[in-house]
Amino acid sequence: MIQLQRLSGCLLLWAVVAAASNAAELPAPDADALARWQAMRFGMFVHWGPVSLKGTEIGWSRGQQVPAEEYDSLYKTFHPIQFDADEWVRTAKAAGMKYFVITSKHHDGFCLWDTKTTEYKITDTPFKRDVLKELSDACRKHGIQFSTYYSICDWRHPDYPLGSPGGKTTKATADMKRYVPYMKEHLREIVKNYGPLGSMWFDGEWESPWTHEMGLDLYRYVRSLQPGILVNNRVDKGRRGMHGGTMGHEYAGDYDTPEQRVGTFQTDRPWESCITICQQWAWKPDDRLKSLKECIQTLVNTAGGDGNLLLNVGPMPDGRIEPRQVERLKEIGEWLERYGESVYETRGGPFKPGAYGASTSKAYRVYLHVFNWQGETLRFPAINAKIVKAALLGGDGQAVVEQTDNQILVKVAGPDRKEPDTVVVFTLDRPANAVAPVAVAP
Ligand code: FHN
């Protein structure tokens, strides 16, 4: 028995080492591309497809609120005649977003480009136009980085073993040996015809048909299509659910992907929170729209944690982004017009996010974003740098800062405080990235 246990122990160790060594052979992410993407801090996520005709959730409502047969026939009447790629991209730009990620194929298998692999695509709808082509052209025209979301799981395709509702059924004749090449051809078409891309944003990796070995292979394949492309951690099996972190170095993926939450403060590995501006990913009539305060504070808390924010909109079946969502995005852009230097090209910290708000920094400057004053004076822990100047970003009003060896006291008179965020700027006697991050007591 002991012998058997020893053998199984050795096999397990071998498997771990093999997996680790496999991962060790992965091409390193393009450091410049990663740094450029991190500096962008803010992008638009779009979940769209024929399901918008029903106003239910993309992928998940197939075989639930919408019978699968009906869901799969929606494309035959999908005719978003008001779709204007230029208008979507201009809306993203007006919001202060620097990159754009669209669902090229979600769990329902519908393809938003003119793929040669299936008729279940946008160019086989009454609309006939290639949405990915028009969006990639518009992004290039407006200087917005273009990226695509791609779902590994495909609950409609006969060769992907699990089906609707929500991956809870199985398909008798499915075969991953046929499905993976189908998927790889999609990725080749997308990168070659609409690239270069900023990122390939994978999703749908959590189900049993997808394995760690497949994830490592797919990461290598996508990097072979475009060496400088970024790939998120949902290409492999290492993602920690909605927390979005990666379980270990043996797993592929260049950045972590917290979902519907602001990621925790993390400066040693890039991350991006994906969050809906409403509640549902795809369009839903009368869905709850997040307030401007919630959107700004989410963006600031994300940047304060050293992460990016990918804020999602779900366009309507006529091809427009809902006017009230466009208005919200415009309001975010107006805030960034004034305070964007405290978000773009910054790093998180050195004061970690807390009840007060969050901080960001770049060069010799620290931007203290205060949401909650909790009284007259805010108290912050000492840092290993001298504050040589303090002011309010935007110039109107005064910040009074007192620094001792043990603490930093910050005071801004009531009339000078700003909703939803008062930005106090410290100028330091050294680069802010030389200052060790510190937690701020609640
Ligand atoms: O199931 C999907 C969901 O529809 C949506 O696309 C989000 C966005 O990241 N990802 C999955 C849920 O984790």
Side-chain angles (χ1 to χ4, degrees):
M1 188 58 181
I2 298 291
Q3 198 58 18
L4 194 59
Q5 279 170 336
R6 198 168 290 144
L7 178 61
S8 60
C10 292
L11 281 176
L12 179 65
L13 181 63
W14 171 80
V16 168
V17 168
S21 65
N22 285 346
E25 288 149 24
L26 288 174
D30 181 317
D32 292 340
L34 213 44
R36 281 197 302 273
W37 173 77
Q38 280 186 290
M40 292 178 194
R41 282 297 183 232
F42 190 30
M44 178 181 273
F45 208 178
V46 175
H47 279 64
W48 196 45
V51 69
S52 54
L53 288 164
K54 302 298 285 184
T56 55
E57 188 59 286
I58 190 165
W60 293 94
S61 61
R62 181 177 184 269
Q64 294 264 38
Q65 300 93 318
V66 185
E69 203 171 321
E70 179 188 351
Y71 188 111
D72 295 348
S73 302
L74 291 171
Y75 82 110
K76 295 173 184 166
T77 55
F78 188 49
H79 199 184
I81 48 172
Q82 296 198 55
F83 169 73
D84 178 342
D86 210 69
E87 193 171 316
W88 284 19
V89 175
R90 275 188 281 108
T91 298
K93 202 166 181 178
M97 294 162 158
K98 303 296 181 185
Y99 62 103
F100 181 95
V101 184
I102 182 157
T103 51
S104 64
K105 188 200 81 166
H106 202 265
H107 315 330
D108 60 11
F110 185 75
C111 298
L112 273 182
W113 75 99
D114 186 27
T115 177
K116 301 303 177 237
T117 63
T118 174
E119 291 71 44
Y120 195 47
K121 61 183 175 180
I122 187 73
T123 42
D124 276 24
T125 68
F127 189 57
K128 300 193 184 310
R129 287 157 47 186
D130 186 330
V131 165
L132 283 204
K133 168 98 180 74
E134 295 185 26
L135 284 169
S136 59
D137 289 348
C139 281
R140 248 173 288 286
K141 173 183 163 189
H142 290 283
I144 297 288
Q145 187 186 70
F146 179 69
S147 296
T148 52
Y149 163 114
Y150 187 89
S151 175
I152 289 167
C153 69
D154 184 330
W155 296 330
R156 177 182 178 273
H157 195 281
D159 285 330
Y160 180 78
L162 303 181
S164 298
K168 295 190 180 70
T169 56
T170 55
K171 300 164 190 162
T173 59
D175 183 345
M176 284 298 276
K177 291 187 185 61
R178 289 195 297 263
Y179 179 69
V180 172
Y182 169 78
M183 212 171 42
K184 284 185 169 180
E185 178 54 13
H186 280 177
L187 300 170
R188 191 198 63 77
E189 289 178 332
I190 291 169
V191 172
K192 295 307 176 193
N193 300 334
Y194 311 105
L197 305 181
S199 282
M200 186 58 76
W201 210 100
F202 284 106
D203 200 12
E205 86 291 358
W206 58 84
E207 294 185 327
S208 56
W210 194 248
T211 67
H212 175 43
E213 287 64 36
M214 290 171 178
L216 292 174
D217 172 61
L218 195 63
Y219 180 85
R220 288 192 190 94
Y221 177 69
V222 171
R223 291 293 307 276
S224 73
L225 293 172
Q226 181 192 320
I229 197 170
L230 300 178
V231 181
N232 71 354
N233 67 349
R234 301 189 185 193
V235 65
D236 196 354
K237 301 292 281 190
R239 171 177 56 129
R240 281 201 188 87
M242 297 304 182
H243 167 278
T246 304
M247 286 186 274
H249 295 296
E250 64 272 28
Y251 295 101
D254 305 329
Y255 57 90
D256 292 350
T257 52
E259 178 168 329
Q260 295 291 34
R261 71 197 63 198
V262 173
T264 45
F265 184 84
Q266 174 180 289
T267 58
D268 60 346
R269 183 177 159 80
W271 58 273
E272 172 196 67
S273 279
C274 54
I275 296 175
T276 51
I277 199 168
C278 285
Q279 300 299 301
Q280 192 169 275
W281 291 100
W283 183 64
K284 176 182 176 185
D286 306 321
D287 199 357
R288 187 185 82 80
L289 175 65
K290 287 181 173 69
S291 67
L292 176 62
K293 176 176 179 178
E294 197 175 350
C295 291
I296 298 290
Q297 293 186 351
T298 298
L299 174 60
V300 168
N301 276 325
T302 305
D306 203 38
N308 283 24
L309 174 62
L310 188 60
L311 187 62
N312 180 81
V313 296
M316 299 191 288
D318 65 6
R320 291 178 302 144
I321 297 172
E322 204 179 359
R324 61 180 184 136
Q325 295 184 33
V326 172
E327 182 55 30
R328 181 69 78 245
L329 290 167
K330 182 168 166 286
E331 292 168 340
I332 298 169
E334 286 163 356
W335 186 87
L336 283 165
E337 273 288 312
R338 187 151 187 199
Y339 301 103
E341 80 164 76
S342 68
V343 173
Y344 302 124
E345 299 175 57
T346 64
R347 298 305 302 268
F351 302 100
K352 292 181 180 180
Y356 75 95
S359 77
T360 55
S361 52
K362 67 180 156 190
Y364 284 68
R365 289 189 148 195
V366 172
Y367 303 93
L368 207 51
H369 296 265
V370 181
F371 307 151
N372 305 304
W373 284 94
Q374 302 156 346
E376 268 303 294
T377 305
L378 267 179
R379 186 188 310 275
F380 291 89
I383 54 174
N384 58 324
K386 185 170 171 24
I387 300 169
V388 295
K389 187 181 161 203
L392 285 184
L393 190 59
D396 48 354
Q398 201 186 6
V400 177
V401 176
E402 184 191 338
Q403 183 177 23
T404 68
D405 291 346
N406 312 312
Q407 63 182 13
I408 298 166
L409 301 178
V410 180
K411 199 184 284 185
V412 172
D416 292 343
R417 296 175 182 180
K418 298 284 181 299
E419 273 301 324
D421 176 13
T422 304
V423 188
V424 181
V425 194
F426 296 162
T427 304
L428 305 182
D429 65 347
R430 69 198 67 185
N433 61 16
V435 179
V438 286
V440 180

